[in-house]
Amino acid sequence: MKSIGKLISSIVVSLLAGGTGSIFTVANIPGWYEHLQKSPLNPPNWVFGPVWTTLYILMGIALYLVWVAPGKKRAKQLAYGAFFAQLLLNVLWSVVFFGMHSLWGGAAVIGCLFLAAAITAILFKTFSRPAAWLFAPYIAWICFATYLNVSVAVLN
């Protein structure tokens, strides 16, 4: 039962970050975002919600796997620090890109997010290979989102 609580807590923490970021995103889609020039590869807006929800759930499961894995406290603290840093950068991207309407600022933040997510995956691998692999779709999506962000910045 204790393990189920840890799993739920881990997923909720990740989803809360997504919910926080969406406050800045959803309010700016009609109006500002819809009038920007976008890449031909830009998916329809309805795709982003389910994709991000899935990615946040996978991140939460990865956090749980590290939490319950054996390991040295100091090494785990470093992995948790990286996890929460990338989660903060994830929210910050929404604030900068959507909230502040800073296209190039968003590109800078998402570059940092990519690095933080990659470092998190590497640190998570120390405790759980599946946890590291659960970050693979997230990192792939960040790469695609970087392309979308830069495309919008260049086109506008």
Side-chain angles (χ1 to χ4, degrees):
M1 199 62 162
K2 194 176 190 179
S3 188
I4 298 281
K6 287 181 177 182
L7 175 60
I8 291 169
S9 297
S10 298
I11 292 171
V12 166
V13 162
S14 293
L15 288 171
L16 282 174
T20 303
S22 73
I23 292 168
F24 298 92
T25 304
V26 172
N28 284 287
I29 290 175
W32 177 74
Y33 182 73
E34 73 181 349
H35 291 103
L36 294 174
Q37 295 295 315
K38 296 171 201 72
S39 160
L41 297 178
N42 207 85
N45 290 340
W46 65 264
V47 169
F48 292 94
V51 168
W52 276 112
T53 301
T54 302
L55 294 172
Y56 287 120
I57 290 169
L58 294 176
M59 281 189 277
I61 294 168
L63 177 62
Y64 163 77
L65 291 173
V66 171
W67 192 359
V68 299
K72 294 182 180 178
K73 183 178 179 181
R74 179 77 176 120
K76 277 196 173 187
Q77 287 173 336
L78 186 61
Y80 297 148
F83 178 85
F84 285 106
Q86 67 81 27
L87 211 54
L88 180 63
L89 285 165
N90 186 299
V91 173
L92 183 62
W93 180 83
S94 294
V95 172
V96 172
F97 185 87
F98 282 103
M100 298 170 63
H101 302 173
S102 177
L103 305 178
W104 288 109
V109 172
I110 207 167
C112 295
L113 173 58
F114 170 78
L115 290 173
I119 290 167
T120 301
I122 290 165
L123 293 172
F124 273 20
K125 185 179 177 192
T126 305
F127 304 100
S128 167
R129 284 184 183 269
W133 279 107
L134 285 169
F135 260 70
Y138 177 48
I139 292 168
W141 186 259
I142 291 170
C143 290
F144 181 59
T146 301
Y147 160 76
L148 295 176
N149 187 149
V150 171
S151 294
V152 168
V154 167
L155 293 169
N156 293 277

